[in-house]
Amino acid sequence: MSVLLFFIDGLGIGARGPQNPLDGLDDAEPLPIFRDEERKTILDGIVVPTDARLGIEGRPQSASGQTTILTGVNVPATLGYHKQGFPNSAMLEILREHSIFLQLKRAGIEPTTFANTYTQKFFDERPRWVSATTAAVEAAGLSFRTVSDLKAGKAVYQDFTNAVLIERGEEVGPRSAEEAASVLARIVSQNRFTLYEYFITDKVGHAQDMQAARTVLRNLARMIRGMLAGIDLRRTSVILTSDHGNIEDLSSRNHTLNAVPTIVWGANKDRIASRIETLADITPAIVEALTEKAAAHK
Ligand SMILES: [Zn+2]
């Protein structure tokens, strides 16, 4: 049994309408998911509307949402607020104790990995504040994938087309959605747990750029379809989720209060889907799927 957690920043379940770039985007399966519409998605994926507000007033934000997803601790309820950007010291403390990578390591589930690429600049000029995932990976003492790994077909950049890397002067070639999908699928086949993160959706949502949003969502859907086609779904569970809504409503530049879509494919999908209600359920569902002996026989 293995699990892929595919994280998409800023993707909520919105209403249909001209504000929603997913409305009318017929070639963007499995992503067109709308409020109050029950739907099945490709390859019998189960869509679970997932609460990102976590019982605390205000708009859900990235640092608190991502820390919650990666630890199973309801961070807004624990600290009393949502926090944008990067985790503060209280959140870093939670990550250092409860990181999903650390929980799996303690349970003897190895190897685990973060599929994303870090540039040399990150190591040379370590930023003062780091993402929830960077902290979660470091908590378990795992190594990061580099641009050399990417060139060797062993890492995927968060913008999997490599466009952002090329803009920053890295000497890498562009990648199609399908090429990136097959690299990710290979990483998944070599690990018990793989995390992949994609952030362009949140960026485009803040920019309220309809044209860019539709292009990005189509391309992201191609990547997801390619990834699902390359993975052995009989022995792998694929869980897609997000930290808060944003791109599904371009009438506002803010995050939304919408639920986010968690989509579960493959092994144990019913069981995993049935125990997810909020972002705090993602890590426990993964740890449970990978540690329960019964799961291996299902
Ligand atoms: Zn944002």
Side-chain angles (χ1 to χ4, degrees):
M1 275 292 302
S2 61
V3 172
L4 165 65
L5 178 59
F6 194 112
F7 170 82
I8 299 174
D9 198 338
L11 175 72
I13 303 178
R16 285 184 182 270
Q19 79 293 343
N20 190 341
L22 286 162
D23 197 4
L25 213 60
D26 295 330
D27 53 349
E29 285 271 27
L31 296 177
I33 295 159
F34 304 102
R35 201 186 299 156
D36 305 323
E37 289 183 25
E38 186 132 356
R39 58 173 295 124
K40 279 200 155 187
T41 188
I42 53 162
L43 294 169
D44 294 323
I46 302 175
V47 181
V48 185
T50 307
D51 172 35
R53 302 174 69 176
L54 299 162
I56 295 297
E57 283 292 302
R59 294 180 189 283
Q61 301 292 346
S62 287
S64 42
Q66 291 166 18
T67 303
T68 299
I69 292 170
L70 294 173
T71 60
V73 175
N74 182 333
V75 171
T78 304
L79 301 178
Y81 51 81
H82 297 280
K83 186 187 180 301
Q84 62 185 55
F86 297 113
N88 58 21
S89 50
M91 293 173 187
L92 289 174
E93 213 170 291
I94 291 169
L95 284 158
R96 284 174 194 139
E97 181 61 27
H98 302 283
S99 158
I100 183 168
F101 294 104
L102 197 55
Q103 292 188 39
L104 292 171
K105 189 178 189 177
R106 287 182 189 134
I109 306 295
E110 292 180 286
T112 67
T113 194
F114 184 35
N116 287 56
T117 308
Y118 283 70
T119 60
Q120 189 56 41
K121 189 163 179 274
F122 174 85
F123 303 108
D124 291 345
E125 314 163 15
R126 177 162 174 113
R128 172 77 181 81
W129 296 103
V130 298
S131 73
T133 308
T134 297
V137 169
E138 288 181 332
L142 299 180
S143 55
F144 293 108
R145 288 168 195 266
T146 64
V147 173
S148 322
D149 292 324
L150 181 144
K151 287 182 184 172
K154 294 175 182 170
V156 186
Y157 193 62
Q158 66 88 7
D159 166 31
F160 55 81
T161 66
N162 292 349
V164 169
L165 271 183
I166 293 164
E167 247 169 58
R168 288 182 187 166
E170 296 288 341
E171 289 176 0
V172 297
R175 251 182 197 166
S176 70
E178 288 74 18
E179 284 165 345
S182 74
V183 173
L184 181 58
R186 189 158 60 239
I187 294 170
V188 169
S189 74
Q190 294 162 348
N191 289 277
R192 298 292 309 281
F193 173 69
T194 302
L195 172 68
Y196 173 68
E197 293 186 329
Y198 181 80
F199 295 104
I200 307 297
T201 30
D202 190 57
K203 201 175 157 204
V204 166
H206 287 301
Q208 294 175 274
D209 185 336
M210 180 60 74
Q211 193 69 41
R214 291 173 80 94
T215 303
V216 156
L217 289 164
R218 265 198 193 98
N219 209 28
L220 178 59
R222 270 175 58 201
M223 153 64 149
I224 294 166
R225 290 197 299 269
M227 174 271 292
L228 289 170
I231 286 177
D232 181 358
L233 292 174
R234 290 167 304 180
R235 51 175 303 278
T236 308
S237 316
V238 175
I239 306 171
L240 179 153
T241 198
S242 182
D243 48 354
H244 51 71
N246 183 355
I247 197 170
E248 79 285 2
D249 184 358
L250 296 181
S251 69
S252 148
R253 59 179 294 277
N254 297 317
H255 296 169
T256 68
L257 299 176
N258 291 327
V260 299
T262 298
I263 313 179
V264 191
W265 288 275
N268 297 319
K269 65 183 175 187
D270 295 290
R271 195 140 68 120
I272 292 169
S274 71
R275 60 145 13 265
I276 293 173
E277 285 175 17
T278 79
L279 296 185
D281 298 321
I282 305 284
T283 278
I286 293 169
V287 172
E288 196 179 282
L290 287 172
T291 53
E292 277 186 7
K293 285 199 175 74
H297 303 291
K298 204 157 175 250

